[in-house]
Amino acid sequence: MYQVPQNSKLKEHYLQEIASFRDRIKDYVLERDDISLVQNPLIEADYMNKIGCYEIELAEAEINERRAKRKLAMCKAAVEREADVDENVIDAVLDDEFDKWMNDAGAQDVSNVSSNSTKAKEFGNLEYDPEKLKKLYRRLCKKLHPDLCPNLTDVEKRDFEAIQKAYDSCDFISVVAYCDAYGIDTDDRYELLTDSQIAATIETLKAHEGTQLEVLGEIKNSFPYNMKDKLKDRNWVKQTSESLIRRAENCERHTARFKAQIADIIERNRK
C-alpha cells in the first residue's frame, strides 16, 4: 500500500500519478474497443474470404465422411444380425445423432460465452458504486445517445455502443475512461481525499490498469486479431488454403467409397 506523506508537494505528486493511471487506463480501454469494434470485424471478414470459406467446406466434407462411415458400419451390423437393412431407419438414427451433436456443440458455445461474460464483469467490476455508474452513463447518453444527438460521427456512434456494453456488464472503469475521453466530469475530487484515501485510490487504479492490460492482451492473442499478420503473408494464405482444399477432397473421396459400399450392401440385401 502506498504511504502518502503530509507534504503538499509530495501529495501533488501522487495526485498527478492518479491522473496518469487514469490516462493510461483510458488509452487501454479505447484501444481494446477499437480492436473489438473496428479492426476485428475487418480481420474476420478478410479471414473468411481467404481461409474461413475453405474451413467451412472442409467441415462439411468431414461431417459427410463421418456420417457415411457410420452409416456403413450400421449397415454391416444389420447384415451380421441377419436383419433387413432399412436405409430410412438408419438415416433417421443418424439424423437424431447429428441433432444431438449440434445441440451439445451449441450448449458448449453458450457456456463459453457465459464464461467470457462473467470474466469481463470481473475485470470491470472493481469496487464501483452502482449509483455513480448510472449517473456517469446518463451523462454519456446526453452527449452520445443517437436519439438525443442525431449528428454523431461514426466514431461517436461506435463509442456509444461500447459504452452501452460496458454499462450492461457493470464495467465501471471503462465507463469512467469514456468520460475522461469525452471530457465529462466524473465528480472525482482527489485533492479533497485524505492521505489514506489517496493511497487506496492508487492501489485500486493499479489493479484496474493490470486487468485492462490483461484483457487487451487476451484480445490481441485471440481470433481474429491473432490472424492479422498471417493474413498479410501471401505464402501462408496460399499454403493454408491449399492444405484445406486437399483435406476436403480427401474426405470426399472417402465418402464416395463408403457410399459405394453402402449401395452394394443394400443391393445385396434386397436379393
Side-chain angles (χ1 to χ4, degrees):
M1 175 72 71
Y2 276 74
Q3 297 297 322
V4 182
Q6 295 291 337
N7 184 291
S8 60
K9 289 185 177 180
L10 286 175
K11 186 171 183 178
E12 179 62 28
H13 166 76
Y14 285 112
L15 292 176
Q16 290 175 358
E17 189 166 359
I18 287 175
S20 296
F21 269 119
R22 288 185 59 161
D23 284 342
R24 291 197 299 273
I25 291 170
K26 175 191 70 178
D27 291 341
Y28 298 146
V29 169
L30 296 181
E31 183 181 4
R32 178 199 71 193
D33 288 343
D34 178 67
I35 291 174
S36 298
L37 300 175
V38 179
Q39 297 186 53
N40 274 355
L42 296 176
I43 296 169
E44 187 168 5
D46 191 30
Y47 182 87
M48 289 303 299
N49 182 53
K50 294 176 178 177
I51 302 297
C53 56
Y54 300 113
E55 288 181 330
I56 292 173
E57 291 178 1
L58 173 59
E60 292 175 348
E62 287 177 337
I63 290 172
N64 292 335
E65 178 190 3
R66 292 171 184 173
R67 182 184 177 102
K69 185 177 182 180
R70 171 79 170 131
K71 185 173 181 178
L72 176 59
M74 294 175 72
C75 289
K76 288 180 176 179
V79 171
E80 290 177 0
R81 296 193 308 271
E82 297 183 354
D84 290 336
V85 180
D86 191 328
E87 191 172 10
N88 291 330
V89 171
I90 292 174
D91 283 335
V93 171
L94 292 172
D95 288 341
D96 288 341
E97 290 179 350
F98 181 74
D99 289 342
K100 183 178 184 303
W101 177 77
M102 288 294 290
N103 288 333
D104 290 343
Q108 183 61 43
D109 288 342
V110 170
S111 175
N112 289 338
V113 170
S114 176
S115 175
N116 290 337
S117 176
T118 300
K119 191 171 187 180
K121 287 184 179 181
E122 289 173 354
F123 281 143
N125 191 20
L126 297 174
E127 299 180 14
Y128 79 101
D129 179 349
E131 289 303 316
K132 185 171 183 180
L133 175 65
K134 186 184 296 184
K135 183 189 297 184
L136 296 181
Y137 176 69
R138 286 175 177 172
R139 290 178 182 174
L140 286 164
C141 285
K142 289 179 181 179
K143 191 162 187 174
L144 295 171
H145 198 294
D147 292 342
L148 301 176
C149 310
N151 297 321
L152 294 175
T153 66
D154 290 341
V155 172
E156 289 171 334
K157 291 177 182 177
R158 183 197 76 209
D159 284 350
F160 186 68
E161 290 178 8
I163 291 165
Q164 286 181 306
K165 291 179 181 178
Y167 178 72
D168 290 341
S169 61
C170 301
D171 186 353
F172 181 68
I173 196 65
S174 292
V175 172
V176 171
Y178 276 102
C179 286
D180 289 342
Y182 280 95
I184 294 174
D185 186 9
T186 58
D187 288 337
D188 288 324
R189 297 288 183 261
Y190 293 120
E191 66 273 11
L192 301 181
L193 297 178
T194 64
D195 294 346
S196 60
Q197 288 173 328
I198 290 175
T201 298
I202 291 175
E203 290 294 334
T204 299
L205 289 173
K206 280 180 65 179
H208 284 320
E209 182 179 33
T211 53
Q212 291 303 326
L213 275 172
E214 186 176 347
V215 171
L216 187 58
E218 289 187 359
I219 290 174
K220 288 183 175 180
N221 290 323
S222 302
F223 179 85
Y225 192 82
N226 60 356
M227 292 287 109
K228 182 179 180 180
D229 293 332
K230 288 185 176 180
L231 291 171
K232 296 176 183 178
D233 185 340
R234 293 185 178 181
N235 289 331
W236 180 85
V237 170
K238 183 175 183 295
Q239 292 173 4
T240 303
S241 59
E242 289 178 349
S243 174
L244 292 168
I245 291 170
R246 286 195 300 269
R247 289 169 60 190
E249 290 173 345
N250 193 43
C251 288
E252 290 168 357
R253 284 193 292 270
H254 291 166
T255 301
R257 187 173 73 252
F258 294 145
K259 286 184 175 181
Q261 292 176 332
I262 291 168
D264 182 59
I265 290 174
I266 292 174
E267 181 63 26
R268 283 190 281 110
N269 185 256
R270 288 173 180 168
K271 294 178 180 179

